[in-house]
Amino acid sequence: MLVVSVHFSDPGVAVHARTRSDVPSGCTGCGQLSEWCHSRYIRRLADVSLGGRPVHIDLSMRRLYCENPTCLKVTFAEQVAGLTVRYQRRTPQLQRLVEDIGVVLAGRVGVRTLRILNVRLSRVTVLSQLMRVPLPPLETPLVLGVDDFVLYNDAYGTLLVDATTRLPLTLWEGRDAEQLSHWLRGHPGVEVACRDGSLTYRQGIAGGAPDAVQVSDRFHLWQGLSRRIQDIASTHRGCLSAALPLVGENDPAPAKESVEYTAADTRAGRHARRLFEAVQALARTGRSHSSMARELGLDRRTVSKYARAHTWQEVMRRPPRKPSSLDPYLDYLQQRWDEGQHSANILHEELQTKGYLGHYQRVKMAVAPLRRGLPLDEPRERPPSPREAARWITTHPHRRNLHINERLPRLLDHCPELRLTHDLVRRFAAMLDTRDATPLTTWLNDLARSGLAPLVGLARAFREDQHAVAQGITTPYISGVNEGRITDVKLQKRLMAGRAGVPLLRHRVVLIAHLRRRYAERPTTSPR
């Protein structure tokens, strides 16, 4: 190729070039070389920008006769390697740039980025170029990861990941067993399948790859156990105040009663008690939850929660007041109020001179009981919430801080059910630490005999999937790579404002993972 001229101007860079007449070119039909020129024509190509200016190449090219009499083509247009592609008005370098930006940023954001690079394309063109990129060849993995994700609203999708290369394979809408079985039958050779405790995926893997070893992920096993512990702690919410320090050295009774009375005197406590009494009164008549929800004007899930509770404290969500930065100044507030200063603004300014750094709104809320003739809310330590208690129990003893080590033994001594739960949790944690599933059967039997409904249900679920649970304890295979790819899927959905269809989402999720891998594996040269 010969460059005839190069013109620089404000609109861009214009390059005029022509192909050589003495260089044979291969026929696009049969591949035979030919120099028999039919005519010439100008082909206008767009290239990557140069110095911040768009580049346009006017290339004079030949149309040649095919000298093979058996070829169906009579004439063909020659191509310049690395510069032209059939039916393409962009150079291969610019085409790769458009495709990569489309993979990374999709439509509208990709268009804005291309405009910065002086490439003017529409979002439809960017998306069409993205969809034209072929997906990499799919090789059946030895270790397959299966997980679901929220596609939109209440619709779910299924993502398959190669757990060895950590690359996504494909995704589709839905999470039924037949789809997964069909894919596995079309791609035989899977030896290990990592999944969560889903019955759907369990049946799908068994139907499509019956010889594959199913592994229930350790994270999901521990997560399911933690949720049951929180349910038990919610049921025994009245025992949680036993974790608080004793009122005094000579007073052996914990602060349980005072905390419960304080919670009952709050607005949230009175509201919870009223709803609990109303729902329980209707539940004793044998009515359904839906009819009770219609009569009380509540959501059905709220009614179900109050109907399952044994006491109103179980559904009490707002804990007693937490200690705040205003607590050291409460005596001063009471003194100034008794002296006749009832302006929250002035009180806040006076407290600032004494070193208080909090907001005015906190002072206003603190003096609100005084305006109603009530005493100031005294600072007190609140009992742990059910979630906090569950976290105390599931945390390894060596990783508990001093605060937990002081309060957890008091809580366990006060509540036998939580002590039993703690012992069962530590036994399961020991199995995970040692990778030994030998005590699993005995542990499941103890769970079933515990008399705690959440643990009995968990034992039933684990026993139905006991082989996969044992594999999850003993084998090194986990579903961590699945969770990472699910996070990536959510990111791509947000970048496209949730409007991407399944084919576009599949294309982007698969291609962007390979694109990252390709650029990560490129060797970097150190500067001289």
Side-chain angles (χ1 to χ4, degrees):
M1 187 183 72
L2 298 175
V3 177
V4 179
S5 63
V6 179
H7 299 282
F8 291 89
S9 60
D10 291 336
V13 180
V15 180
H16 298 273
R18 57 177 293 144
T19 57
R20 295 179 178 271
S21 301
D22 56 347
V23 177
S25 181
C27 175
T28 57
C30 62
Q32 181 174 332
L33 297 179
S34 174
E35 297 182 14
W36 186 6
C37 182
H38 173 273
S39 60
R40 278 187 174 271
Y41 70 100
I42 302 297
R43 186 170 180 179
R44 190 173 179 84
L45 301 171
D47 199 4
V48 294
S49 59
L50 178 63
R53 300 178 181 180
V55 177
H56 297 283
I57 303 174
D58 291 335
L59 181 61
S60 175
M61 303 184 65
R62 295 176 298 170
R63 178 168 289 277
L64 303 171
Y65 286 105
C66 180
E67 301 182 21
N68 183 5
T70 61
C71 182
L72 297 178
K73 286 185 174 293
V74 179
T75 63
F76 64 93
E78 65 176 334
Q79 303 296 331
V80 179
L83 186 63
T84 64
V85 180
R86 295 180 67 191
Y87 313 117
Q88 185 63 263
R89 295 188 178 184
R90 289 182 288 274
T91 62
Q93 186 177 4
L94 179 58
Q95 179 64 17
R96 285 194 297 269
L97 177 64
V98 172
E99 292 174 353
D100 290 347
I101 289 180
V103 169
V104 176
L105 300 175
R108 297 183 186 275
V109 184
V111 167
R112 298 188 189 106
T113 305
L114 288 172
R115 286 178 181 174
I116 298 175
L117 301 176
N118 288 310
V119 180
R120 301 284 177 171
L121 293 175
S122 67
R123 63 180 181 87
V124 177
T125 302
V126 173
L127 293 179
S128 65
Q129 296 302 315
L130 165 62
M131 296 303 294
R132 286 175 56 186
V133 179
L135 292 175
L138 196 153
E139 298 180 0
T140 302
L142 297 179
V143 183
L144 177 68
V146 185
D147 207 346
D148 60 350
F149 64 94
V150 178
L151 193 58
Y152 51 85
N153 295 336
D154 294 331
Y156 286 81
T158 298
L159 176 68
L160 303 185
V161 182
D162 187 340
T164 303
T165 62
R166 308 179 70 87
L167 291 174
L169 299 174
T170 185
L171 61 86
W172 59 73
E173 183 177 0
R175 53 177 179 178
D176 57 288
E178 183 55 37
Q179 283 181 297
L180 181 58
S181 298
H182 178 74
W183 190 92
L184 290 172
R185 286 192 293 268
H187 302 82
V190 175
E191 297 180 357
V192 180
C194 301
R195 56 168 176 81
D196 55 13
S198 171
L199 175 62
T200 299
Y201 291 146
R202 186 197 318 170
Q203 295 173 346
I205 296 172
D211 297 331
V213 177
Q214 299 192 37
V215 178
S216 187
D217 182 54
R218 290 192 294 274
F219 168 77
H220 290 93
L221 295 177
W222 189 258
Q223 185 183 51
L225 178 60
S226 301
R227 289 175 179 171
R228 266 62 173 199
I229 298 169
Q230 185 173 340
D231 294 339
I232 296 173
S234 298
T235 304
H236 297 81
R237 185 187 295 266
C239 299
L240 300 182
S241 57
L244 296 175
L246 301 180
V247 176
E249 295 181 356
N250 299 326
D251 188 2
K256 173 182 176 181
E257 295 183 0
S258 60
V259 173
E260 287 186 352
Y261 288 144
T262 304
D265 292 338
T266 61
R267 181 185 302 177
R270 293 191 295 269
H271 178 72
R273 177 178 290 181
R274 286 196 300 267
L275 286 184
F276 175 78
E277 293 173 353
V279 172
Q280 290 293 329
L282 293 177
R284 284 192 290 268
T285 63
R287 297 178 57 179
S288 65
H289 293 175
S290 299
S291 62
M292 289 190 291
R294 287 192 296 268
E295 179 173 339
L296 298 176
L298 299 175
D299 188 84
R300 186 182 181 279
R301 290 174 293 185
T302 303
V303 172
S304 300
K305 179 178 66 174
Y306 278 86
R308 290 194 304 266
H310 299 287
T311 61
W312 64 269
Q313 287 88 347
E314 296 181 22
V315 292
M316 173 72 178
R317 298 187 60 185
R318 183 177 299 176
R321 189 180 72 84
K322 299 180 183 179
S324 71
S325 59
L326 187 62
D327 292 342
Y329 307 95
L330 292 180
D331 293 338
Y332 179 78
L333 280 179
Q334 185 68 54
Q335 176 187 345
R336 295 291 291 134
W337 186 273
D338 295 339
E339 293 174 356
Q341 182 53 260
H342 298 170
S343 172
N345 271 319
I346 297 177
L347 291 173
H348 178 249
E349 293 174 358
E350 294 178 0
L351 292 180
Q352 284 181 322
T353 61
K354 292 183 174 293
Y356 174 64
L357 302 178
H359 196 269
Y360 153 77
Q361 192 69 22
R362 189 180 294 274
V363 178
K364 179 183 176 181
M365 294 175 62
V367 299
L370 296 176
R371 300 186 187 280
R372 301 193 298 270
L374 301 175
L376 284 173
D377 289 338
E378 292 296 330
R380 55 186 172 270
E381 186 177 1
R382 66 182 181 90
S385 66
R387 179 177 296 181
E388 289 174 328
R391 186 169 64 249
W392 291 1
I393 294 174
T394 56
T395 302
H396 194 278
H398 297 311
R399 301 183 63 182
R400 295 171 184 162
N401 56 35
L402 182 61
H403 172 83
I404 299 177
N405 288 331
E406 290 178 353
R407 287 157 177 76
L408 182 59
R410 287 197 295 266
L411 176 60
L412 299 182
D413 292 340
H414 180 79
C415 185
E417 291 81 4
L418 290 180
R419 173 168 290 281
L420 175 61
T421 303
H422 176 267
D423 295 339
L424 292 171
V425 169
R426 301 290 9 123
R427 288 170 55 188
F428 186 71
M431 283 188 280
L432 294 179
D433 292 339
T434 59
R435 299 285 182 88
D436 183 14
T438 305
L440 180 61
T441 303
T442 305
W443 183 77
L444 292 177
N445 294 333
D446 293 342
L447 239 66
R449 292 193 298 265
S450 64
L452 302 173
L455 295 184
V456 173
L458 182 67
R460 189 183 308 113
F462 277 12
R463 191 172 281 115
E464 293 176 356
D465 198 22
Q466 186 168 348
H467 179 71
V469 172
Q471 292 295 326
I473 295 174
T474 58
T475 61
Y477 303 112
I478 60 175
S479 298
V481 61
N482 302 1
E483 301 298 331
R485 288 304 175 188
I486 292 298
T487 302
D488 190 49
V489 171
K490 295 177 181 177
L491 173 62
Q492 308 311 322
K493 288 171 72 266
R494 291 189 183 100
L495 288 176
M496 294 181 286
R499 292 194 292 264
V502 175
L504 177 58
L505 184 62
R506 181 191 305 115
H507 240 69
R508 289 203 61 214
V509 169
V510 174
L511 290 177
I512 199 171
H514 286 79
L515 183 66
R516 291 169 181 161
R517 182 68 56 89
R518 185 171 77 234
Y519 280 99
E521 292 176 352
R522 284 187 176 182
T524 57
T525 57
S526 58
R528 295 181 179 178

